[in-house]
Amino acid sequence: MTPADTSTLKGATDTLGADSLAPDSDTAAADTVAAIVVTPQAIHDVPVETRHDNTTGASWLILGMLAVICIICVRFKNNIKYLRRLFHDLTDTRARGNVFDDTSSETSFIITLNALCAFATGLMLYIGMTTFGLAPPQPEAFNAQAWGCIFAAAFYCAAMPPLYTIVGYVFSDQLHTRLWRRGFLASQALAGLILLAPALMAVFYPAAAPALVYMAIIIYASLKIIFISKTFRIFFSQISAYFLFLYYLCTVEIIPLLLTLRMATAFAG
């Protein structure tokens, strides 16, 4: 074999080898897939903190209010007519002896409604003071602060009827005094029924607390104005009695409310 033939054979062999390896190289390149490796980040232990909001520690408070509501529901069936008469007691000024003939069931019913008023107004008083900065909010001491405000409201509800009795006996007769005292008890009973829903909503929906507090103030002030107008019609029938009426407003209506607010602030502070 000549050198030329050897060169030709070597070139053909190299070309054949290159042609036979080319398809395999293309296939290997086409079959290559880039891999993605996901490495989870290290999770550090974070201590879990106790959540505090307006409902923290409110279980016993809500339980007490629900107990009063259950008692009212039991009494309501037999006293539905008496409930309608509360509106009459709030506005009526006619001195008739037979309107005071209450049964023991009706007496216990209005006492229960006044207890509900102490719960509802005391709770709204606490929420109002903490919402508008009159008392520092302390979520861990919710029960103590709220119960203190409820105690202040209960003290007001319990102390005012004897005060009305003493003032009534000094300036009028027994019949008008009882009529006056019944008007106060009726206003407090109606306030308890009406303020129950805003009080519960303010506890469970703190974002709505400011609007609910304003609503409660308007409701309570409206009932108080109706009662004061009844007082004026009972005891002050002459123009010369206007100055006495101003003394009455300051001494019997405004000062006890301010003292109650002061007491609630001391308990909630």
Side-chain angles (χ1 to χ4, degrees):
M1 182 176 296
T2 61
D5 295 336
T6 303
S7 299
T8 302
L9 180 59
K10 184 178 179 180
T13 303
D14 294 340
T15 303
L16 180 60
D19 292 341
S20 61
L21 292 176
D24 295 337
S25 300
D26 295 340
T27 303
D31 292 341
T32 302
V33 178
I36 300 176
V37 180
V38 179
T39 303
Q41 296 180 354
I43 301 176
H44 301 283
D45 294 334
V46 179
V48 179
E49 297 181 357
T50 304
R51 187 190 67 168
H52 294 292
D53 53 24
N54 281 353
T55 63
T56 303
S59 300
W60 289 106
L61 180 64
I62 301 302
L63 182 62
M65 184 177 292
L66 290 178
V68 177
I69 295 173
C70 290
I71 296 174
I72 291 175
C73 292
V74 173
R75 297 285 188 180
F76 185 81
K77 181 178 180 181
N78 298 325
N79 294 277
I80 186 170
K81 294 182 179 180
Y82 185 74
L83 183 62
R84 290 197 296 265
R85 208 174 85 183
L86 289 177
F87 293 94
H88 181 269
D89 291 340
L90 181 60
T91 57
D92 186 38
T93 59
R94 290 175 294 178
R96 295 177 300 164
N98 58 350
V99 301
F100 304 120
D101 298 332
D102 293 339
T103 64
S104 59
S105 177
E106 291 172 344
T107 301
S108 62
F109 183 59
I110 196 169
I111 291 175
T112 307
L113 289 178
N114 277 261
L116 178 63
C117 178
F119 267 97
T121 56
L123 188 57
M124 291 302 299
L125 183 60
Y126 164 73
I127 294 173
M129 289 192 303
T130 55
T131 300
F132 297 109
L134 297 178
Q138 302 176 12
E140 65 279 359
F142 177 90
N143 267 331
Q145 289 182 307
W147 279 110
C149 293
I150 291 173
F151 175 79
F155 182 81
Y156 174 82
C157 294
M160 291 306 293
L163 178 61
Y164 287 129
T165 300
I166 295 173
V167 175
Y169 283 165
V170 171
F171 294 99
S172 185
D173 53 34
Q174 181 180 2
L175 192 61
H176 286 89
T177 299
R178 296 183 66 184
L179 189 67
W180 188 30
R181 187 174 62 241
R182 287 174 65 90
F184 172 77
L185 293 174
S187 67
Q188 295 293 105
L190 292 173
L193 289 174
I194 298 173
L195 294 179
L196 174 61
L200 292 177
M201 290 177 63
V203 171
F204 292 107
Y205 300 98
L212 293 171
V213 170
Y214 283 122
M215 181 189 302
I217 292 174
I218 293 174
I219 293 172
Y220 193 84
S222 300
L223 293 172
K224 181 64 71 173
I225 290 173
I226 295 174
F227 169 69
I228 291 174
S229 66
K230 174 180 178 175
T231 302
F232 184 83
R233 287 180 285 131
I234 292 176
F235 297 103
F236 305 98
S237 57
Q238 299 178 358
I239 299 178
S240 60
Y242 283 173
F243 288 104
L244 293 177
F245 181 69
L246 294 177
Y247 285 130
Y248 149 75
L249 284 180
C250 295
T251 306
V252 183
E253 296 298 342
I254 297 178
I255 292 179
L257 288 175
L258 294 178
L259 292 177
T260 302
L261 180 61
R262 176 59 181 167
M263 185 187 303
T265 305
F267 282 123

